[in-house]
Amino acid sequence: MKEFFKYVFATVVGIIISTFLIAIFFIVFVVALVSSIDSDKTVDVVSNSVLYLNLDQAIKERTPNKTLDNLPIIGSNVGKSLGFNDLMRALKRAKTDDNIKCIYLNVSSPRAGKATLKEIRDALIDFKTSKKKIIAYSEVYTQDAYYLASVADKVYLNPQGALEFKGFSSQLTFFKGAMEKLGVEAQIIRVGNYKSAVEPFTNVKMSDYNRQQVTAYLGGLYSTFLEGISVSRNIPKDSLYKMADTYRIQAPKDALTYKMIDGLKYKDEVIDELKALSGTGRKETIATVSINDYATNQKEESTESKNKIAIIYANGDITGGEGSDESIGSERISRAIRKARQDDKIKAIVLRVNSGGGSALASDVIWREIVLAKKVKPVMASFGDVAASGGYYIACAADSIFVQPNTITGSIGVFGIIPNFQNLLTNKIGITFDGVKTGQYADIMSTNRPLTPGERLIIQTDVNHVYDTFTSRVAEGRKRSKAYIDSIGGGHVWIGTDAVRIGLADKIGSFNDAIVAAGKKAKLSSYKIVEYPEKIDPLKSFLSDAGDNVRMYYAKQEFGENFLLYQQLKKVVVNSGIQARMPFEINIQ
């Protein structure tokens, strides 16, 4: 009886606590929802305003819905973020907005890829043609942050701060030794000497092929980085290279000595300068508007035209099914392309790609819809930070492909990884397997034993077929011979400038350049922009993925800086089917 009452008491306490937590969640949700609705109100931009450009936030392809931003839920996507296209439109508007007097650029460590940073930087350069000033200030500049800040009319650094300027490095992590100790074998089937996505699981160091391509594209990225700074700061490129190579910028005064900055100032001194630029009295408070609020305020450019250009956002890993706003589901994206193709008011399509690839089958499904769309209206492709392997596959049929000089693309190749856990499970843990089958290949993808020679031949044949299809698609889309595509394929990764040179892309140009080209090819004098696919409701997305979100949250807390390694190992087990994926996770520092 004593035990009975103990369990009853525990149950009652559990119900009370659960009810209390649910009530708290509901109250917080209502408050956050009201706050979110309130945040949608138009922000007035008064005269003599300073546009506060805080770029220490995630720059995503599209501005996410804000419903959950104020909810302190474990696993929710908290933190500020801004859509790239909204940011571009806001900077373009600020250029001619008489109420905006100058920009205050505050950036220490931007969360965006190299090509995205270049487009933002180019937009800031364009803003300066209005004769309005840009003032940059930070306590710490990472290299990416300085790349952006260097475009400003005045670049200031805190007297006790730091400016990082050391060159680029790309370090790969290899798991072969750890997997051998665990008793796990990665069985690899691939096409292409440069398709090095498998190398972390088979090698202990970079292959010669991989080292060659990493050296080439890292050098290309670095060259674009130095050229931009050289022009803005009027410092010879060779001098910049020597500064980084000899690590001359070690203290704030060094940055001033080598003319990397215009002064060492505290924030109050910078505020005084902003007051002078904006016509604000010394005892008055500066009127500021954040880039997030200013971007939210943007209205569609008024036009009476019924013609439309559709932008299809293809962002993230390519998978089958619906995907999400952060991944490319073949069903969702192909449906969006089909909808744009069948809408007579939509006269052209721009496919915006930011993807390192994924499922080869899903890529082909999307490719098919691009081919069908191209038959009835112009289709342009704009590549962001990366459009490689499957990311290139889905766009290769476009009429024209636009890239940035530092876009990473190519990687035309395929591979498959079938893990073998037999040694781990049987020899180390003591788990054995037995069973029956109706055919010798009925368990061909079993992971508790090694592949037989016959099974390996079957899978290799399948991989070869996928590669043959991939190169055929590219050859058809790029109007080149299949032999030529194979010669520049094999998994080889290229940067944008090289992609144009060898014919994988058509032009160096911005996202907006691709939109303008689409309008021109469709012979439109005016048009509206519509965006596909529709954004997923954030609350619905969170509730459907709550378990994964919480697991991801705790994994990040547990692994910290090693979370990327965890993700790489997880992909070996999770990814199924033949993959058209980037050769590895690129992490440039």
Side-chain angles (χ1 to χ4, degrees):
M1 184 61 71
K2 182 179 179 181
E3 290 295 314
F4 171 76
F5 282 115
K6 183 175 73 173
Y7 287 120
V8 170
F9 178 73
T11 302
V12 171
V13 171
I15 292 172
I16 293 172
I17 293 174
S18 298
T19 303
F20 176 74
L21 291 175
I22 291 172
I24 293 294
F25 174 86
F26 179 76
I27 292 170
V28 172
F29 175 76
V30 171
V31 171
L33 188 59
V34 172
S35 174
S36 177
I37 293 172
D38 187 63
S39 68
D40 288 337
K41 293 181 179 178
T42 301
V43 177
D44 291 329
V45 182
V46 300
S47 60
N48 297 328
S49 289
V50 173
L51 181 59
Y52 175 48
L53 190 55
N54 174 19
L55 293 179
D56 284 336
Q57 57 180 310
I59 307 300
K60 300 186 175 183
E61 281 297 291
R62 304 172 76 180
T63 302
N65 291 324
K66 301 295 184 180
T67 308
L68 298 179
D69 270 9
N70 298 314
L71 280 174
I73 304 172
I74 290 178
S76 64
N77 188 23
V78 295
K80 281 190 174 183
S81 60
L82 183 61
F84 166 71
N85 210 18
D86 286 340
L87 173 58
M88 293 295 101
R89 282 194 289 257
L91 291 174
K92 181 180 179 181
R93 169 62 181 148
K95 177 183 173 182
T96 57
D97 188 341
D98 292 335
N99 288 330
I100 298 296
K101 292 301 179 183
C102 62
I103 286 179
Y104 169 40
L105 174 58
N106 180 233
V107 56
S108 293
S109 183
R111 286 183 284 160
K114 305 298 184 191
T116 297
L117 292 175
K118 185 180 185 304
E119 287 221 40
I120 295 172
R121 194 175 189 278
D122 289 344
L124 290 172
I125 292 173
D126 181 63
F127 173 87
K128 289 172 62 177
T129 61
S130 67
K131 306 303 180 183
K132 298 178 183 180
K133 302 295 184 183
I134 300 176
I135 302 297
Y137 170 77
S138 185
E139 295 174 359
V140 175
Y141 289 112
T142 59
Q143 293 190 116
D144 283 345
Y146 182 72
Y147 179 65
L148 287 175
S150 63
V151 78
D153 295 278
K154 296 291 182 181
V155 182
Y156 297 125
L157 175 67
N158 185 284
Q160 303 303 317
L163 190 156
E164 179 185 64
F165 200 71
K166 57 186 177 57
F168 288 177
S169 67
S170 179
Q171 182 172 290
L172 306 182
T173 303
F174 295 87
F175 304 104
K176 181 184 178 182
M179 292 177 70
E180 287 178 346
K181 290 182 178 181
L182 291 172
V184 178
E185 176 193 9
Q187 301 172 105
I188 307 300
I189 294 91
R190 67 174 177 175
V191 177
N193 292 322
Y194 293 96
K195 200 66 181 176
S196 46
V198 299
E199 286 190 6
F201 312 106
T202 60
N203 296 9
V204 295
K205 63 178 182 178
M206 298 167 70
S207 67
D208 291 340
Y209 288 107
N210 194 18
R211 186 176 298 279
Q212 175 188 335
Q213 72 174 351
V214 172
T215 300
Y217 77 66
L218 191 67
L221 295 176
Y222 192 44
S223 179
T224 299
F225 171 80
L226 292 179
E227 284 170 3
I229 296 172
S230 174
V231 173
S232 294
R233 297 300 302 175
N234 195 26
I235 303 173
K237 186 177 175 181
D238 289 345
S239 298
L240 289 170
Y241 180 86
K242 290 177 182 177
M243 282 185 216
D245 192 47
T246 55
Y247 209 79
R248 292 182 186 177
I249 312 300
Q250 299 183 34
K253 64 179 181 180
D254 297 331
L256 187 59
T257 298
Y258 288 102
K259 299 181 181 180
M260 300 287 281
I261 61 174
D262 297 288
L264 298 171
K265 292 191 176 186
Y266 288 99
K267 191 169 185 177
D268 60 286
E269 296 175 292
V270 176
I271 290 174
D272 288 341
E273 187 165 339
L274 289 170
K275 284 183 177 180
L277 282 175
S278 61
T280 305
R282 291 186 62 83
K283 293 184 179 181
E284 296 178 332
T285 301
I286 297 176
T288 62
V289 56
S290 73
I291 187 63
N292 297 70
D293 288 339
Y294 192 73
T296 302
N297 270 5
Q298 299 308 301
K299 297 179 181 179
E300 273 192 44
E301 295 182 9
S302 59
T303 175
E304 296 181 359
S305 175
K306 294 182 179 180
N307 297 324
K308 300 176 182 177
I309 292 179
I311 298 174
I312 312 290
Y313 288 93
N315 177 49
D317 282 354
I318 301 174
T319 65
E322 289 297 308
S324 68
D325 287 340
E326 300 300 325
S327 65
I328 303 171
S330 59
E331 284 295 320
R332 184 168 176 241
I333 298 300
S334 59
R335 185 169 59 247
I337 299 170
R338 186 162 54 251
K339 184 177 180 180
R341 167 169 59 89
Q342 295 173 344
D343 188 338
D344 291 337
K345 292 181 180 179
I346 293 177
K347 304 301 182 182
I349 295 172
V350 175
L351 180 67
R352 173 67 174 181
V353 183
N354 238 321
S355 173
S359 165
L361 174 58
S363 300
D364 195 70
V365 169
I366 298 169
W367 166 86
R368 172 64 179 174
E369 287 298 331
I370 291 294
V371 170
L372 293 175
K374 182 183 173 182
K375 291 180 179 179
V376 296
K377 58 191 66 176
V379 177
M380 301 293 168
S382 168
F383 289 175
D385 299 311
V386 57
S389 205
Y392 186 81
Y393 194 138
I394 66 176
C396 65
D399 290 296
S400 290
I401 295 175
F402 289 75
V403 296
Q404 285 291 334
N406 50 358
T407 293
I408 292 175
T409 188
S411 192
I412 300 169
V414 294
F415 69 92
I417 300 179
I418 300 92
N420 171 22
F421 296 104
Q422 185 182 66
N423 191 27
L424 170 65
L425 297 174
T426 302
N427 299 334
K428 295 183 181 291
I429 301 178
I431 299 175
T432 57
F433 301 86
D434 198 5
V436 295
K437 55 184 180 180
T438 59
Q440 61 175 321
Y441 297 116
D443 61 342
I444 188 172
M445 288 296 180
S446 177
T447 59
N448 57 35
R449 61 170 179 79
L451 293 169
T452 66
E455 290 171 331
R456 185 175 287 275
L457 179 60
I458 289 172
I459 299 172
Q460 183 68 62
T461 300
D462 194 16
V463 169
N464 291 346
H465 171 71
V466 174
Y467 180 71
D468 183 70
T469 301
F470 192 170
T471 53
S472 296
R473 305 291 195 229
V474 176
E476 179 185 347
R478 301 306 302 165
K479 296 179 175 57
R480 300 286 185 126
S481 70
K482 190 173 166 184
Y484 175 75
I485 297 301
D486 182 54
S487 72
I488 60 174
H492 200 301
V493 176
W494 306 92
I495 60 168
T497 49
D498 287 337
V500 172
R501 175 178 58 81
I502 63 177
L504 287 180
D506 295 286
K507 296 178 182 178
I508 299 294
S510 66
F511 188 6
N512 187 63
D513 289 335
I515 296 173
V516 171
K520 185 176 181 180
K521 191 171 180 64
K523 299 179 180 178
L524 303 177
S525 57
S526 62
Y527 49 81
K528 294 179 181 178
I529 298 294
V530 291
E531 298 182 338
Y532 293 103
E534 293 183 2
K535 295 179 186 177
I536 297 174
D537 178 76
L539 180 58
K540 180 181 178 181
S541 176
F542 172 75
L543 291 177
S544 63
D545 298 330
D548 289 338
N549 289 338
V550 172
R551 282 192 293 272
M552 193 69 71
Y553 172 84
Y554 280 114
K556 287 181 178 179
Q557 300 303 308
E558 185 69 24
F559 291 107
E561 293 181 355
N562 295 316
F563 179 68
L564 180 60
L565 305 185
Y566 161 78
Q567 286 183 304
Q568 287 178 293
L569 283 171
K570 184 180 178 182
K571 282 182 180 179
V572 180
V573 180
V574 173
N575 290 330
S576 60
I578 305 303
Q579 298 290 303
R581 187 179 292 277
M582 270 289 289
F584 35 74
E585 300 287 348
I586 293 178
N587 184 22
I588 297 171
Q589 299 178 342

